[in-house]
Amino acid sequence: MGDVEEYLESAAPTIETAIDKIFTRLKVIAVDVEKVLRAKELLTSLQRRETFFHLLGHDDDGSINYNMNELKLMESRFSYPSISSGDEELDGEELSEDLCGVWQCQEEDRWHSYFSGFQVLSSRHGPDSNDNRKCIQLSKMLGCDQELKTFLRNGVRCFALDLFVGTQSSNQSLVVQLREAEISVSKEYGFPVVSTILVKLSPRFQYSGYLNPQQYKGDNSCVELKKGNKLTLTVDRKFSDCSSSLMLYVNARFLLGDIEEYDFILIGNEIQLVVHSVHPDHLNCCVARGGMLESYMPVLFPKRCSKFRVSYEELEDLTFAREVGVNVVVSNIVGTAKYLDNLEKCMAIMQCENLRIYARLVLNEVKGCDGELNWATKRYDGFLVELAEPEIVPDVMQLCPDAECFLQLVYAAKKPIIFDPELIYEKKIRIDPAHYFYTFYYPDKYLVKGHKTEQSFYFSFLQNAIFEKIPPEALSKVPYCDRSHTGADGLARAVVSAAMEVHAVAIVVIGVTTRMVQKIAHFRPEAPIIFVSHMRSAEDYVSLYYNVTMLSFRTKKFHTHRQNIFRKGVYALAYLAKRKIARQHDHVILVYSNEEGTTFPEKYILYKFDKSHFSEHMSTCMFSTKQAQQDSNEDADFDN
């Protein structure tokens, strides 16, 4: 693997020019994303202030002056009517599921509450309890805005974007489309909706683009290249998802300068091309040896083209992720430690060092038993796990000791595992019961192609059925030892055990960092985990963890530690009541930091939900009587 600094010295003019062009273009592209994010932040602030006004009599900034028209600032073409557009005055009891009004869906009024407690869905698909475990891959084939809103309403909070496919403009459009859908659903809920986007980087090695599905009728189609046919290899990304037998995309912009006339280029194992002319952004070639051309085939350039330097497409993708506010990038391969060092140096040079780096791994292609991948479980922040299609279809999934050890170590390290089960729900691979833990328990999220959500139902039901039996068994096998320095592991285990015992409807974690959320999610509780935090960067990745929903809470008003915890607790319970997750006398577990000066939760309580008086209960439940009285007096000062 060539060193980045040596490469930069040898190719400084080229890479500096490339980076300058990338920065200039993407800063223009990112303008729309920035506008949507600012609108989303404003809406979140207004919704928080409105909630506290109805619950406590004043908003979160301490003002008793409330303007009912303030939320109208957020009216736009992609938004639903604001929840404050009703004529009725709201109070704290309007959060009850028994009362009709602006806090309830208009669809329920149509049925005169005959089906009390049920929600009329606009989706053509039925409800799926596994939706929070899905990571939907965005693409232009996904459909329209309504599809994204349906995913968000059903609980999906994780999305993936393959930057190898499509232009920067089209990918940026998908990001904006998703953020607009979040604003729309947020206005419908009355609370902020936050989702995570992870982007798959273009591979460092060269691959051909995807054939046009409309021209060749399907993703698995292929076309024959005959000897003597003319073919143009282009680096223009607009052909990455609509290549053909005449124009074929390949991610090789940095390599074109090394190509000369009459060089041979190999596609796959059979197809050979001879170069007739070289141009700045494409190669005119002739087919010297024919074969079947498929989507995403490896392309081999002449030996003098270095395979180890960072590609132009990777630089472009990293900058794109930074400019549009994406915090998680997925490398196409795990590679070696030196490969990762090379990537991290590039990210530091491009000021992208704060991005979280995940790696893609093809699980059933891992061979060996000597722990070659153990280093990766420590260095990478998470993993996207895929399966290779077996030679015999259908076949039983076979895992070598290295593959099993790899997943065990990643799970033990409490790092996210995103699993692509496409071959399982297509019934090309079957799972042996000995591998149930690796397939149905360890993964935090399951990747689903946006246009294949209907086919994924088989796997969702299968995963639900098998998963229900695993957590109690897995929890009983966990040793009663705490490897943490603060007792956090034991606390997380106790929280999950308590949630299982009383059948809690939610676990609310109030904190700054995501460490306690990771530890609780590690034990795979059935109850959803609601993470309430003002940490902006957490919004971009915390939804990758198992069953976690982020509830953003940011305020410019200074509050004491106990006031801050109290308000976040009340806000979370208001969310549970509004979404009908918690009903009268349901159990909710609150995890928070009792002592000031720590950002790590060290206490939990079990609260029996009272839909009418939960805001009054929180100060006495979460803190001692003396502390609660002090906080009540401080809150009362706002009303005077």
Side-chain angles (χ1 to χ4, degrees):
M1 185 75 65
D3 187 80
V4 175
E5 295 177 352
E6 294 179 359
Y7 168 66
L8 290 178
E9 292 177 1
S10 62
T14 303
I15 195 170
E16 286 180 358
T17 304
I19 292 177
D20 288 342
K21 290 181 179 178
I22 293 172
F23 279 17
T24 302
R25 182 168 62 254
L26 289 182
K27 283 182 179 179
V28 175
I29 288 178
V31 169
D32 290 341
V33 179
E34 187 177 352
K35 289 180 180 178
V36 176
L37 291 178
R38 282 203 302 266
K40 185 179 175 183
E41 184 72 18
L42 175 60
L43 176 62
T44 299
S45 174
L46 296 177
Q47 288 176 331
R48 185 192 68 254
R49 292 171 59 190
E50 183 191 39
T51 300
F52 279 105
F53 178 81
H54 294 309
L55 289 175
L56 305 178
H58 54 78
D59 65 28
D60 194 47
D61 289 333
S63 172
I64 60 174
N65 298 319
Y66 184 74
N67 183 8
M68 291 298 293
N69 295 323
E70 196 170 20
L71 277 179
K72 291 183 179 179
L73 295 172
M74 297 305 302
E75 295 290 345
S76 62
R77 60 180 177 81
F78 52 81
S79 301
Y80 284 97
S82 168
I83 59 172
S84 63
S85 60
D87 295 328
E88 299 181 53
E89 288 294 327
L90 304 179
D91 53 32
E93 292 187 352
E94 288 293 329
L95 292 172
S96 166
E97 71 264 27
D98 297 327
L99 299 177
C100 296
V102 296
W103 286 89
Q104 290 185 310
C105 296
Q106 297 178 357
E107 293 290 342
E108 192 169 312
D109 294 336
R110 181 184 302 176
W111 296 96
H112 304 290
S113 298
Y114 183 78
F115 301 104
S116 179
F118 290 85
Q119 183 179 0
V120 180
L121 300 177
S122 59
S123 170
R124 63 175 181 269
H125 309 311
D128 181 7
S129 59
N130 207 340
D131 274 332
N132 189 262
R133 302 174 197 169
K134 290 180 180 178
C135 177
I136 304 296
Q137 181 162 318
L138 300 172
S139 71
K140 66 180 183 181
M141 299 175 62
L142 186 60
C144 58
D145 293 347
Q146 192 59 39
E147 288 289 331
L148 290 174
K149 294 172 187 175
T150 299
F151 287 137
L152 292 171
R153 292 192 197 104
N154 289 351
V156 177
R157 292 295 180 269
C158 182
F159 297 86
L161 184 62
D162 188 353
L163 297 184
F164 177 82
V165 180
T167 63
Q168 293 172 340
S169 178
S170 62
N171 289 329
Q172 178 257 358
S173 178
L174 288 172
V175 174
V176 173
Q177 198 174 0
L178 175 60
R179 297 310 185 196
E180 289 180 346
E182 289 175 1
I183 292 178
S184 181
V185 177
S186 177
K187 289 177 66 66
E188 187 178 344
Y189 283 2
F191 288 86
V193 173
V194 175
S195 65
T196 296
I197 302 176
L198 62 92
V199 294
K200 299 163 66 177
L201 300 178
S202 298
R204 183 168 299 186
F205 295 92
Q206 284 64 55
Y207 287 88
S208 64
Y210 289 85
L211 298 179
N212 191 331
Q214 297 179 350
Q215 182 176 354
Y216 296 107
K217 300 179 181 179
D219 294 336
N220 299 324
S221 61
C222 58
V223 59
E224 183 179 3
L225 290 182
K226 297 181 179 180
K227 183 177 179 180
N229 287 1
K230 293 183 179 180
L231 174 64
T232 300
L233 291 182
T234 179
V235 295
D236 190 340
R237 290 203 180 202
K238 70 180 181 181
F239 295 101
S240 60
D241 55 356
C242 58
S243 295
S244 66
S245 58
L246 299 178
M247 182 72 71
L248 185 64
Y249 171 76
V250 61
N251 56 322
R253 185 179 293 272
F254 267 177
L255 303 183
L256 295 191
D258 298 330
I259 302 298
E260 298 178 357
E261 290 186 10
Y262 307 114
D263 280 343
F264 279 85
I265 297 175
L266 179 65
I267 301 179
N269 296 323
E270 298 181 356
I271 303 174
Q272 293 183 9
L273 308 178
V274 60
V275 179
H276 280 184
S277 61
V278 180
H279 301 274
D281 59 352
H282 68 275
L283 303 173
N284 290 328
C285 305
C286 180
V287 179
R289 181 178 178 183
M292 299 304 296
L293 176 66
E294 300 178 358
S295 297
Y296 201 72
M297 296 181 69
V299 181
L300 183 63
F301 282 80
K303 291 183 179 180
R304 59 176 166 272
C305 298
S306 172
K307 301 293 183 184
F308 302 113
R309 63 189 185 187
V310 177
S311 70
Y312 180 95
E313 287 77 13
E314 279 182 299
L315 299 177
E316 203 171 43
D317 293 346
L318 288 170
T319 312
F320 178 88
R322 191 193 69 172
E323 292 297 325
V324 300
V326 173
N327 201 29
V328 180
V329 297
V330 183
S331 174
N332 186 258
I333 59 174
V334 174
T336 63
K338 195 170 183 179
Y339 170 91
L340 181 56
D341 292 338
N342 186 255
L343 182 60
E344 288 178 340
K345 286 181 181 179
C346 287
M347 294 174 67
I349 293 172
M350 301 183 68
Q351 302 176 1
C352 300
E353 64 272 13
N354 293 326
L355 298 181
R356 293 176 176 264
I357 308 177
Y358 287 38
R360 167 184 164 271
L361 179 79
V362 182
L363 190 64
N364 53 350
E365 287 186 351
V366 176
K367 305 296 180 184
C369 56
D370 53 2
E372 286 188 2
L373 293 175
N374 289 358
W375 70 270
T377 62
K378 300 176 182 178
R379 295 280 306 273
Y380 284 101
D381 297 309
F383 294 89
L384 171 61
V385 177
E386 298 180 358
L387 296 174
E389 188 166 338
E391 295 180 0
I392 303 174
V393 178
D395 196 5
V396 177
M397 184 175 71
Q398 304 291 332
L399 296 184
C400 73
D402 251 10
E404 294 180 359
C405 180
F406 169 81
L407 284 181
Q408 290 172 0
L409 290 175
V410 176
Y411 172 73
K414 303 177 179 63
K415 295 183 177 180
I417 300 174
I418 297 92
F419 189 86
D420 185 353
E422 183 174 359
L423 297 179
I424 299 177
Y425 65 68
E426 289 180 349
K427 300 182 182 180
K428 295 181 179 179
I429 291 181
R430 303 186 186 277
I431 307 301
D432 187 274
H435 294 148
Y436 277 177
F437 269 75
Y438 305 107
T439 310
F440 302 111
Y441 183 72
Y442 288 159
D444 292 78
K445 300 289 179 182
Y446 294 97
L447 186 68
V448 179
K449 306 298 191 299
H451 59 288
K452 292 187 177 181
T453 53
E454 294 182 5
Q455 296 95 313
S456 68
F457 266 77
Y458 164 77
F459 177 81
S460 295
F461 292 135
L462 180 64
Q463 197 272 343
N464 277 335
I466 296 175
F467 180 84
E468 287 180 1
K469 301 179 180 180
I470 296 180
E473 177 187 351
L475 194 63
S476 65
K477 292 181 179 179
V478 175
Y480 288 90
C481 63
D482 197 323
R483 298 180 181 178
S484 65
H485 299 292
T486 60
D489 289 343
L491 178 64
R493 177 193 169 95
V495 166
V496 175
S497 299
M500 290 182 176
E501 184 175 349
V502 300
H503 302 287
V505 295
I507 299 173
V508 176
V509 181
I510 303 170
V512 179
T513 65
T514 62
R515 289 179 295 169
M516 179 54 73
V517 171
Q518 294 172 239
K519 293 178 182 295
I520 294 176
H522 171 76
F523 293 104
R524 306 297 192 245
E526 181 181 355
I529 305 168
I530 310 298
F531 178 51
V532 189
S533 175
H534 63 267
M535 186 178 178
R536 189 187 303 270
S537 60
E539 296 180 8
D540 295 327
Y541 71 92
V542 70
S543 297
L544 285 169
Y545 294 100
Y546 167 83
N547 214 8
V548 174
T549 299
M550 174 79 179
L551 190 59
S552 178
F553 187 101
R554 282 190 292 275
T555 177
K556 297 180 181 179
K557 182 70 176 179
F558 174 78
H559 297 295
T560 64
H561 169 73
R562 295 189 183 94
Q563 283 179 320
N564 184 42
I565 298 297
F566 163 75
R567 290 169 181 272
K568 288 180 178 178
V570 170
Y571 195 60
L573 292 180
Y575 170 79
L576 296 177
K578 173 63 171 61
R579 297 302 308 139
K580 298 183 181 178
I581 298 172
R583 301 175 183 274
Q584 186 73 2
H585 303 316
D586 282 342
H587 289 97
V588 177
I589 293 182
L590 297 167
V591 187
Y592 59 98
S593 54
N594 184 60
E595 297 297 331
E596 188 174 0
T598 176
T599 59
F600 197 83
E602 83 286 349
K603 181 179 180 180
Y604 80 92
I605 63 171
L606 183 63
Y607 176 63
K608 194 172 184 179
F609 186 69
D610 187 323
K611 62 187 178 183
S612 300
H613 304 289
F614 63 85
S615 60
E616 302 168 14
H617 292 169
M618 280 300 94
S619 59
T620 56
C621 290
M622 301 180 77
F623 304 102
S624 65
T625 306
K626 183 178 180 180
Q627 294 171 343
Q629 183 64 37
Q630 180 182 353
D631 292 340
S632 298
N633 294 336
E634 291 174 348
D635 282 335
D637 292 339
F638 287 115
D639 297 328
N640 298 328

